[in-house]
Amino acid sequence: TEGGSAARMQTDMDYIKRGVDELRLEAKDQGRRFDELSERVTRVEESSKQAHKRLDGMEQRRGVGND
């Protein structure tokens, strides 16, 4: 029947809408996690750079690496 077909179509549309909403939430969460990891990588890179500078300074004071 036409009424049953319309009801089925509405049910399918509602199902699709819920799926799209879930995908949006997942994408937003993934973006947030990506941003957090990017910040962490930046901090690790800065820390690594500082550590290398300290090591270079120690080597220079000890005369290591001077050819």
Side-chain angles (χ1 to χ4, degrees), residues 25-44:
L25 290 173
E26 288 178 26
K28 186 176 181 178
D29 190 49
Q30 287 289 344
R32 181 186 54 76
R33 283 189 267 168
F34 179 82
D35 291 343
E36 289 173 358
L37 287 174
S38 293
E39 290 176 25
R40 290 180 66 188
V41 166
T42 299
R43 287 194 303 268
V44 167

Side-chain angles (χ1 to χ4, degrees), residues 11-26:
T11 301
D12 289 347
M13 290 288 285
D14 290 342
Y15 177 76
I16 291 169
K17 286 178 184 179
R18 282 193 305 273
V20 169
D21 289 343
E22 288 176 17
L23 289 172
R24 281 185 184 145
L25 290 173
E26 288 178 26

